[in-house]
Amino acid sequence: MNTMKRAIASSFSLLFCLFSNISFAQDSLAIIPKPLQQISRPGYYSYAPETEVYSSTSFLEAADLLREHPYLKFNKIKKLRPGKKAPLKGIILLEAGKGDTLAINAYRLEISTDRILITAHQPEAILNGIATLRQLALTRKDSRLPAVWIQDQPAFGYRGLMLDVSRHFFPIPFLKKYIDLMSLYKLNTFHWHLTDGAGWRLEIKKYPELTSKAAWRTNANWKYWWNNGRQYSEMGSPNAFGGYYTAEEAKDLVKYAAKRGITVIPEIEMPAHTEEVLAAYPNLSCYGLPYKNSEFCIGNEDTFRFLQDVLDEVIEIFPSKYIHIGGDEADKSAWKQCPKCQKVIKDFDLKDEHGLQSYAVKRMETYLKSKGRKLIGWDEILEGGLAPEATVMSWRGEKGGIEAANSGHDVIMTPGSHLYLDAYQTNPIGQPEAIGGYLPLKKVYGYQPIPAEINADKRKHVLGIQANVWTEYMPTTSQVEYMVFPRAMAMAEAAWTAEGQKNWSDFQTRLQKHYLLLQRLNVNYYPPSNELSILSKFDIAEKKAVVTISSEQFKPEIRYTTDGTNPIASSPLYQDGISLNATAKVKAVIFKNQQPLGKIQELELDVHKAIGKKVIYNNKWSSSYPAQKELTLVNGQTGDLTYGDGQWQGFLGDFDVTIDLENPIPLTQLKIRFMQLTGPGVYMPANVTVAVSEDGVVFKNIQKVENDVPYTDASLRFKTFMFDLKGNNARYLRVTGKNEKKGFMFSDEVVVY
C-alpha cells in the first residue's frame, strides 16, 4: 500500500470511528455493570414477530431463559450442529471454539441488523450475555436495539447479595424476584441468612421444634419484639408471627437460582445468635434453660451432634461449595461460667474463650470438609486462630479481610461502611426507620474491593465482594426493594467492572435508563432525592473556603445565594464550587421550569477566630472515630449526615477540650454542634459548659446550656449549643459536654467569634 492509499485508509478508519462514537452517544446502551469492551456499529436490530433461536448443546438450558425476554417470541430452540457455521439470522447462543481467544469466563455479544450472536466457553458466561440482552430490552422505550460489539468478563468471581429472612420472613415468590434482579445485574451468589435469634427459617426434619416453635415469635414487628421480652410462640397460635421454608421449597429456589447462574449459600448461625434454637432445645445451652443466653454450649457434645445433624440436612438441600456458619458476635460470658466449657478449654489447652470459639469453628470445618464442603464465616472466626481452610467474610471494616488474605486465606470483602444496605441512603428525616448510618449510592459505587494493605502476591485471595441486607427495619418486601435498589446495582458494578474502567459520572448517566427497567419490573426502588448536600472545605493557609453543592438528581439546575436570602430562578447557577473568604450563609435549591423543587438547603459558613488554632484534648477522642484528629474541631469544616464522614469526631467519655487562641482577644460568641442517633448509641451531651482563661490554668465558667433534644427521639437530630461571650477577653476557651448516656457523642466544629 503506497503512502496516499495508507493516508486515505487511515482517514476513513478515523471517520468511521468518529461516526460510530457519535451515533453511540446519541443512542447509547446503558449497561450495568459497565462492559469491559463496547464498540457501536451502524444500524439497528428489530425483533421479528417470531424469532428463530439457535443454541449449542451445552447452552440449551440457558437458552430457555430467553423466554423471559420481553420482545422475543419463539417455539422450539434449535440445536446447533458442531462444526457448522452459525446462522446469519435470528438469536444464536454459540459455544466458543478451541481457537477462540475469548477468556474462559467471558462472553461476546454481537448485535447486527440481522442477528444477535452471543458466544462463550461455558454456561455461566453465556448467562451473563443473556442478562445483558434482557437488560438492553428493559432499558429502552422501543424494541429496536442499536448494533454493537461487546466483549465482557467479571473482575471478580464472587459477586454476592445477602438477605436476612430471620428478622422478617419473606415468601418464595419475592425471593425469586430478588434472584431475577440479581441475575440481570450479573450477581452470582445469593447468601441466604436463614437462622438468627428472631426466627429459624428452614425445615430440619430431625428437629421439628425448629419450625413448630423456633420459627415463630410473639410479634411481627422486630423492634417491638426485641424490646418487649423476645419470647417465642407456637405454630398455630393466633398471634404468632414467622414462617419457614420447607426442604422442598428451598430445593426449588436453589434450582431456580442455578438456572440463572446464581449459587445459593445457606447460613446456619453458630455458636451465637441462637436464642431461637435454645428456646426449643434448652439442653444445648450452658444453663440448660431457655431465654438465658444466645450461645450454644461448646462443652456439650450434644451441641455438636445437633449441628452435624442439621448440616447433614442442609447439605442435602444446598449443593453450594460453601456453607456459612456465621460465627459473629458471640457473648462469651456463659462459657466463662460453664464447667463443661471450661473443661474443654483446659483439656485442649485453648487458653481462653476465644480459643474455645476457634475450637468449635475448627470442628465444624473438619465436619464440612468430610462432606466435601468448605466453611465460610464472618470475620470473628479469626479470633483464637482461623480454621485451616476457612474463608472469611470481612464485615467489621477491612481489617479482618486484610489479615486473612495476608495469611493465605480466601476472603469476601463486605465492610459495613460501604456494603451494608440497611443504612440510610439519604437524610433520615422523612425516611422509613433504618438501623442508622449513612450510605449513599455514590459511596457504594466507590468501594474498591482490594485494600492497599493486602500484599501483591496475596490479592488473589480476595474472591470478590458482597452487599448485606439485614432486615430488622424492613418488615415488607416493598421496603427491602427500597433499601436495596439502586444501591445493589452500584455494588454489582464495583464487583464486575475493572477498577480503571469505573467512572461515577458515567454510571450516573447509565443509571437514568434503569429506572425504566425497575418500573417495568414493579420494583419499589429508592428515587433520587431533591435535597442538596452543601459542604465546605477550608484552606487554612489561604484563609479561604470552597463550598460544594451536590445532588442525587441527574444534572440538576441548582440556584444559590450567599447572603442568606432565598434563591430564586434568576439566582446564580451553581457549577463547580463557590469560593468564599468571609462568614456567609449559603442557601441553595433545585429549580425545574422556573420552579423550586424540594426544600431550600443551607450552610452556615463560619470563618471564625479558632480556625487552625491548637486544641488540647483533656479527654481524647475515641480511636474508632478520630476524624481529622487534633484539627477536627477547628478546621472550618462541618460534618455531613453521618458520623463516619471523617469530620465528626467521636467521644465515649465526656467532651472536654481547651482551645488556645494564642493571645487574649475580645470574644462575642461560641457555638458547637452535636449529633444524636440513638439506634447505634449516639447521644447529645446532657449539657455543655464554656469557661474562659487568660493563662490556661484558672478558668471562669461563663455559661452552661442544657440539652433539650429528648433521648427518646430515635430520629437523626442535630443541635447547635450557643454561648454569649460578650464582654470577655481570653486566650483559652474550655468546652465540656456531659456524657450522661455513656454512649458516643459526636461534634464537628467549635466556632468562635
Side-chain angles (χ1 to χ4, degrees):
M1 184 183 285
N2 62 34
T3 305
M4 179 63 74
K5 284 183 178 176
R6 200 177 297 123
I8 291 169
S10 177
S11 298
F12 177 80
S13 175
L14 178 62
L15 209 62
F16 177 81
C17 288
L18 286 171
F19 172 79
S20 175
N21 287 337
I22 290 168
S23 86
F24 182 65
Q26 290 170 342
D27 196 1
S28 62
L29 298 176
I31 301 167
I32 296 175
K34 184 180 182 179
L36 187 64
Q37 294 174 281
Q38 182 175 321
I39 302 171
S40 62
R41 290 175 171 171
Y44 288 84
Y45 176 87
S46 296
Y47 294 99
E50 190 159 313
T51 307
E52 298 290 342
V53 175
Y54 304 87
S55 175
S56 295
T57 304
S58 56
F59 299 153
L60 286 172
E61 186 177 0
D64 197 52
L65 283 180
L66 290 169
R67 299 188 188 281
E68 298 178 8
H69 190 291
Y71 303 124
L72 266 180
K73 302 290 184 289
F74 59 95
N75 293 315
K76 188 177 179 182
I77 299 166
K78 297 182 178 181
K79 196 183 296 184
L80 290 172
R81 293 180 182 179
K84 298 289 183 180
K85 284 188 177 181
L88 298 176
K89 291 192 175 184
I91 313 292
I92 303 108
L93 305 184
L94 179 67
E95 185 172 4
K98 290 182 180 178
D100 198 317
T101 58
L102 194 66
I104 192 69
N105 62 342
Y107 71 89
R108 185 186 301 118
L109 171 62
E110 299 171 83
I111 301 175
S112 66
T113 54
D114 294 317
R115 71 174 183 176
I116 296 173
L117 173 64
I118 310 177
T119 307
H121 288 285
Q122 55 186 15
E124 292 82 1
I126 208 77
L127 285 166
N128 289 325
I130 291 171
T132 296
L133 186 62
R134 291 181 60 214
Q135 197 182 105
L136 290 175
L138 290 164
T139 53
R140 296 183 61 79
K141 292 183 179 179
D142 60 44
S143 62
R144 296 190 313 160
L145 283 183
V148 70
W149 179 93
I150 293 170
Q151 192 158 299
D152 198 13
Q153 68 189 84
F156 292 93
Y158 186 108
R159 305 177 302 280
L161 188 61
M162 182 271 262
L163 182 64
D164 163 23
V165 296
S166 174
R167 272 60 175 224
H168 287 99
F169 177 79
F170 304 109
I172 290 288
F174 172 70
L175 299 185
K176 289 184 175 180
K177 181 181 181 182
Y178 197 77
I179 285 167
D180 285 339
L181 289 162
M182 287 178 62
S183 72
L184 271 176
Y185 292 101
K186 303 183 179 73
L187 299 171
N188 66 355
T189 307
F190 173 48
H191 173 177
W192 201 4
H193 187 80
L194 284 160
T195 73
D196 212 306
W200 182 283
R201 302 292 177 224
L202 181 66
E203 177 188 29
I204 302 296
K205 292 174 181 176
K206 191 165 185 178
Y207 296 97
E209 287 192 65
L210 290 174
T211 45
S212 67
K213 182 172 183 178
W216 306 90
R217 62 178 187 249
T218 52
N219 196 280
N221 182 282
W222 173 86
K223 185 176 180 180
Y224 181 89
W225 174 81
W226 184 259
N227 291 323
N228 289 277
R230 307 178 196 177
Q231 298 289 299
Y232 301 94
S233 188
E234 294 286 343
M235 185 177 180
S237 172
N239 295 319
F241 169 82
Y244 64 91
Y245 308 101
T246 67
E248 290 307 310
E249 285 175 325
K251 285 178 183 177
D252 176 67
L253 189 72
V254 167
K255 184 179 177 182
Y256 185 89
K259 186 175 180 179
R260 287 152 180 79
I262 293 172
T263 298
V264 181
I265 294 179
E267 181 179 356
I268 306 298
E269 278 274 17
M270 60 183 88
H273 288 278
T274 61
E275 296 97 321
E276 84 287 18
V277 178
L278 302 182
Y281 297 97
N283 61 301
L284 303 179
S285 162
C286 289
Y287 299 103
L289 297 168
Y291 304 114
K292 285 285 286 183
N293 66 300
S294 62
E295 290 74 31
F296 284 118
C297 179
I298 304 303
N300 185 351
E301 279 300 307
D302 286 345
T303 292
F304 292 98
R305 276 188 284 272
F306 169 84
L307 291 173
Q308 289 171 5
D309 289 342
V310 167
L311 290 178
D312 285 345
E313 295 194 34
V314 168
I315 287 166
E316 281 294 311
I317 297 168
F318 298 93
S320 57
K321 174 175 74 173
Y322 285 115
I323 303 295
H324 203 299
I325 59 101
D328 60 314
E329 298 181 324
D331 179 354
K332 300 171 177 64
S333 56
W335 299 342
K336 290 179 181 178
Q337 301 172 26
C338 175
K340 291 179 181 178
C341 289
Q342 291 302 309
K343 185 175 187 299
V344 170
I345 291 174
K346 183 179 178 182
D347 289 350
F348 291 90
D349 192 23
L350 301 178
K351 296 182 181 178
D352 57 18
E353 288 71 30
H354 293 294
L356 184 67
Q357 174 162 321
S358 178
Y359 161 84
V361 171
K362 287 174 181 176
R363 279 192 63 169
M364 299 321 300
E365 188 207 34
T366 300
Y367 189 75
L368 287 171
K369 189 177 177 181
S370 75
K371 301 289 182 176
R373 304 304 179 89
K374 290 192 72 172
L375 180 146
I376 188 169
W378 304 111
D379 56 53
E380 284 95 332
I381 66 173
L382 287 161
E383 295 171 1
L386 187 57
E389 295 181 30
T391 295
V392 171
M393 273 193 174
S394 186
W395 74 277
R396 296 179 299 177
E398 296 179 325
K399 183 181 177 184
I402 293 165
E403 179 185 336
N406 282 336
S407 300
H409 289 274
D410 288 342
V411 171
I412 311 297
M413 301 304 292
T414 178
S417 58
H418 288 77
L419 297 175
Y420 267 45
L421 304 187
D422 53 345
Y424 287 105
Q425 50 202 318
T426 188
N427 188 337
I429 297 170
Q431 291 292 304
E433 186 177 7
I435 202 162
Y438 175 53
L439 181 57
L441 183 69
K442 188 175 183 179
K443 186 173 181 180
V444 177
Y445 186 80
Y447 183 63
Q448 297 184 19
I450 301 182
E453 295 88 344
I454 295 179
N455 302 330
D457 64 327
K458 302 294 186 182
R459 292 181 179 185
K460 63 186 177 184
H461 288 295
V462 179
L463 305 182
I465 66 174
Q466 175 174 292
N468 296 327
V469 184
W470 302 100
T471 63
E472 287 93 336
Y473 298 93
M474 301 181 208
T476 65
T477 58
S478 178
Q479 182 63 11
V480 171
E481 292 174 2
Y482 184 83
M483 298 299 283
V484 173
F485 296 97
R487 289 189 290 186
M489 294 146 67
M491 183 277 294
E493 185 149 318
W496 178 279
T497 304
E499 188 58 40
Q501 296 272 63
K502 285 171 58 184
N503 180 284
W504 165 249
S505 179
D506 178 55
F507 174 79
Q508 239 191 341
T509 301
R510 285 178 281 122
L511 177 62
Q512 303 316 302
K513 290 195 174 184
H514 284 256
Y515 292 118
L516 174 62
L517 180 154
L518 296 172
Q519 290 163 8
R520 281 176 165 163
L521 297 180
N522 297 311
V523 178
N524 182 44
Y525 63 87
Y526 165 77
S529 171
N530 285 321
E531 289 197 13
L532 298 171
S533 174
I534 311 178
L535 298 172
S536 65
K537 188 167 185 178
F538 197 85
D539 186 322
I540 294 175
E542 295 289 328
K543 296 190 174 355
K544 179 176 73 174
V546 175
V547 175
T548 56
I549 307 174
S550 59
S551 169
E552 295 175 9
Q553 294 292 340
F554 184 62
K555 296 182 178 178
E557 177 190 334
I558 300 172
R559 302 282 174 177
Y560 72 92
T561 61
T562 59
D563 60 2
T565 60
N566 290 340
I568 57 176
S570 60
S571 294
L573 177 67
Y574 176 78
Q575 291 180 312
D576 188 23
I578 308 163
S579 184
L580 297 167
N581 57 12
T583 294
K585 179 178 281 190
V586 180
K587 290 188 173 185
V589 71
I590 296 173
F591 275 84
K592 188 172 183 178
N593 300 325
Q594 303 285 302
Q595 297 298 316
L597 297 178
K599 295 179 181 178
I600 294 172
Q601 308 294 311
E602 63 181 65
L603 170 71
E604 293 269 3
L605 177 70
D606 290 295
V607 182
H608 58 93
K609 295 176 179 178
I611 289 178
K613 303 303 183 185
K614 182 180 178 181
V615 179
I616 301 158
Y617 285 80
N618 305 309
N619 180 37
K620 199 163 185 182
W621 61 78
S622 162
S623 59
S624 299
Y625 298 97
Q628 307 303 309
K629 299 185 177 178
E630 287 86 353
L631 194 60
T632 305
L633 301 175
V634 290
N635 65 358
Q637 294 176 222
T638 53
D640 203 350
L641 296 172
T642 172
Y643 50 76
D645 71 346
Q647 293 301 331
W648 288 98
Q649 196 165 54
F651 298 84
L652 278 170
D654 289 344
F655 179 90
D656 189 350
V657 300
T658 301
I659 299 170
D660 181 356
L661 298 173
E662 298 176 356
N663 295 294
I665 57 173
L667 302 170
T668 58
Q669 185 187 61
L670 183 146
K671 54 185 180 178
I672 179 170
R673 189 169 71 137
F674 286 89
M675 167 194 289
Q676 178 165 296
L677 188 63
T678 60
V682 178
Y683 297 95
M684 293 286 177
N687 53 65
V688 179
T689 301
V690 170
V692 297
S693 171
E694 291 191 1
D695 59 6
V697 178
V698 179
F699 282 87
K700 177 179 72 171
N701 284 346
I702 300 297
Q703 190 179 357
K704 179 192 284 188
V705 176
E706 299 291 334
N707 172 45
D708 58 3
V709 176
Y711 293 133
T712 53
D713 187 342
S715 63
L716 177 65
R717 295 289 301 269
F718 300 94
K719 177 177 173 63
T720 300
F721 291 77
M722 308 277 291
F723 299 86
D724 183 356
L725 304 183
K726 288 175 186 172
N728 287 279
N729 277 40
R731 172 177 172 174
Y732 297 94
L733 286 160
R734 186 171 183 179
V735 185
T736 55
K738 184 67 177 173
N739 190 342
E740 184 177 75
K741 298 297 288 185
K742 306 305 178 188
F744 274 101
M745 294 193 306
F746 284 92
S747 181
D748 59 346
E749 185 82 359
V750 180
V751 177
V752 179
Y753 287 108

